[in-house]
């Protein structure tokens, strides 16, 4: 039976219009005033906004890291995402060390199949770009995977050298792949880490000392320059600070095809959190690290003025108290040294709420820009638009009935992510999804989960830059 959402205000990246939305099957069929109710399930959205479902293009579900796994699987992480208004995400397949890209992709499909509860795509993260893997690279496009991530950090584990990065960019440019980089100078970080540990500086707060802002800026500038030389399109993930934004802005001013995202935690969590008493700072260890409060207004501005194109989470949760009560190990793995703390934080559930609250209520940007950075740009950049990322006839009916007046207090006691802490613990936001539709199906109604394990679809994405 069709669904008719009446009396809401549709907010897209470009428009704000009072109109009804008729959903037939999985897509939006019609948008208009006073659409007939006959034969439809009618939902009254008076006083509410209708937003496209959020798209989080940077997540790590069940990621093997530092001797453990991130603690959300494709069901728990995706259900949590849906509760917060995210209906699609893109996760990073990790190429097994010494293995093929295909082996990694198969592995990730097996993690997701049967569990997925929202729609999802994959990027491929390269760990070892030997010649045969370079030759395999173009084939990932046929698998619907049109972006690859290279790490300029994590020396001895994921880090690639400049030759590899530059070669990958050239191949990517030729085959419609978007290059993503984790931009930090891994050699500098390794040196600083060794020095700090030798001085007995092992606590979580030293993680930030070992990962200076200029190490991020240097790597960002290098990646931007290599993109300019190779002609590749580049997307710099998890940007944290003024120094690296300057490098991105320089590349954009030169006309290079370079883009960037930040992640929610960099707007709300700071170096002082890494210095919380005892081992608590470990909760906030991620790479690049959280920075100074002075960086937050610069990031908000960059999100507002288009220096940055998207906001994601880098959702990579670990238990704070892992290894007990049947839990897999977590942050406690790094008790003896910050370098052993699994890197990452939870956030997939909170992104839409904290970005609405801080960004729209906080006066940094309009509701339309909120939609643009949380859904439309992610869909456009990653080959999903206009199926995803907007509300329009023919688009998937991924729709949030968003209550801009709803007060929601974030807490690990009530969140749905599979971890024992929340980075935004106690934060009260105004604006939260009241109902969440995925391809026309109501999957979240207030606090009630109506979705289905296994019903999420793999999103085959179009090559980067393909003209519609
Ligand atoms: O700390 C982080 N960011 N963990 C996830 C892996 C990555 O570098 O994105
Ligand atoms: Zn990264
Ligand atoms: Zn990440």
């Amino acid at each position: 039976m069709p669904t008719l959402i009446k009396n809401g205000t549709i907010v897209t990246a470009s428009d704000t219009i009072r109109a009804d939305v008729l959903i037939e099957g999985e897509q939006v069929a019609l948008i208009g005033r006073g659409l007939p109710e006959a034969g439809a399930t009618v939902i009254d959205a008076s006083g509410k906004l209708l937003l496209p479902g959020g798209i989080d293009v940077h997540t790590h579900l069940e990621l093997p890291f530092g001797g453990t796994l991130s603690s959300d699987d494709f069901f728990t992480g995706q259900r949590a995402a849906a509760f917060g208004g995210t209906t699609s995400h893109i996760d990073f397949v990790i190429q097994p060390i010494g293995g093929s890209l295909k082996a990694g992709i198969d592995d990730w499909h097996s993690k997701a199949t049967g569990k997925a509860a929202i729609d999802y795509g994959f990027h491929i993260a390269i760990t070892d770009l030997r010649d045969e893997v370079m030759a395999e690279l173009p084939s990932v496009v046929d698998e619907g995977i049109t972006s690859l991530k290279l790490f300029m950090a994590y020396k001895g584990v994921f880090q690639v050298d400049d030759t590899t990065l530059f070669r990958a960019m050239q191949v990517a440019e030729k085959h419609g792949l978007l290059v993503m980089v984790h931009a930090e100078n891994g050699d500098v970080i390794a040196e600083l880490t060794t020095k700090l540990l030798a001085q007995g500086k092992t606590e979580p707060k030293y993680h930030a000392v070992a990962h200076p802002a200029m190490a991020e800026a240097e790597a960002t500038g290098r990646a931007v320059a290599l993109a300019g030389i190779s002609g590749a399109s580049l997307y710099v993930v998890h940007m944290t600070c003024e120094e690296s934004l300057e490098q991105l802005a320089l590349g954009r001013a030169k006309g290079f095809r370079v883009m960037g995202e930040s992640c929610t935690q960099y707007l709300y969590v700071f170096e002082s959190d890494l210095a919380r008493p005892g081992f608590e700072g470990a909760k906030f260890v991620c790479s690049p690290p959280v920075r100074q409060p002075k960086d937050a207004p610069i990031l908000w501005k960059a999100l507002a003025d288009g220096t940055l194109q998207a906001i994601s989470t880098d959702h990579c949760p670990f238990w704070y108290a892992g290894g007990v009560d049947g839990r897999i190990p977590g942050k406690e793995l790094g008790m003896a040294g910050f370098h052993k703390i699994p890197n990452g934080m939870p956030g997939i559930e909170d992104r839409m709420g904290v970005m609405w609250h801080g960004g729209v209520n906080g006066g940094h940007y309009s509701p339309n820009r909120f939609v643009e950075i949380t859904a439309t740009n992610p869909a456009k950049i990653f080959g999903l638009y206009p199926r995803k990322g907007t509300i329009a006839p023919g688009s998937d009916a991924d729709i949030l009935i968003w209550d801009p007046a709803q007060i929601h207090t974030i807490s690990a006691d009530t969140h749905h992510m599979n971890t024992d802490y929340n980075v935004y613990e106690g934060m009260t936001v105004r604006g939260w999804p009241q109902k969440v539709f995925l391809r026309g199906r109501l999957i979240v109604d207030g606090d009630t989960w109506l979705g289905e394990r296994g019903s999420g679809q793999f999103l085959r994405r179009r090559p980067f830059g393909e003209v519609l």
Side-chain angles (χ1 to χ4, degrees), residues 119-137:
D119 291 353
Y120 59 98
F122 294 150
H123 314 284
I124 182 103
I126 310 280
T127 56
D128 163 20
L129 203 46
R130 50 191 199 279
D131 288 351
E132 75 209 65
V133 177
M134 192 72 88
E136 191 192 357
L137 200 47

Side-chain angles (χ1 to χ4, degrees), residues 58 60 63 65 149 151 154 182 238 266 285-288 314 316 343-345:
H58 189 158
H60 301 281
L63 172 74
F65 195 108
K149 180 177 179 185
F151 294 89
Y154 301 121
H182 175 129
H238 45 44
Y266 299 115
V285 166
C286 63
S287 294
D314 197 4
C316 188
N343 283 203
M345 290 188 214

Side-chain angles (χ1 to χ4, degrees), residues 25-26 119 387-388 396-398 437-441 455-457:
E26 299 196 331
D119 291 353
R387 175 178 172 192
K388 304 286 188 190
D396 280 0
D398 297 348
F437 292 85
L438 171 69
R439 282 180 279 106
R441 176 179 172 168
S455 65
Q457 287 184 358

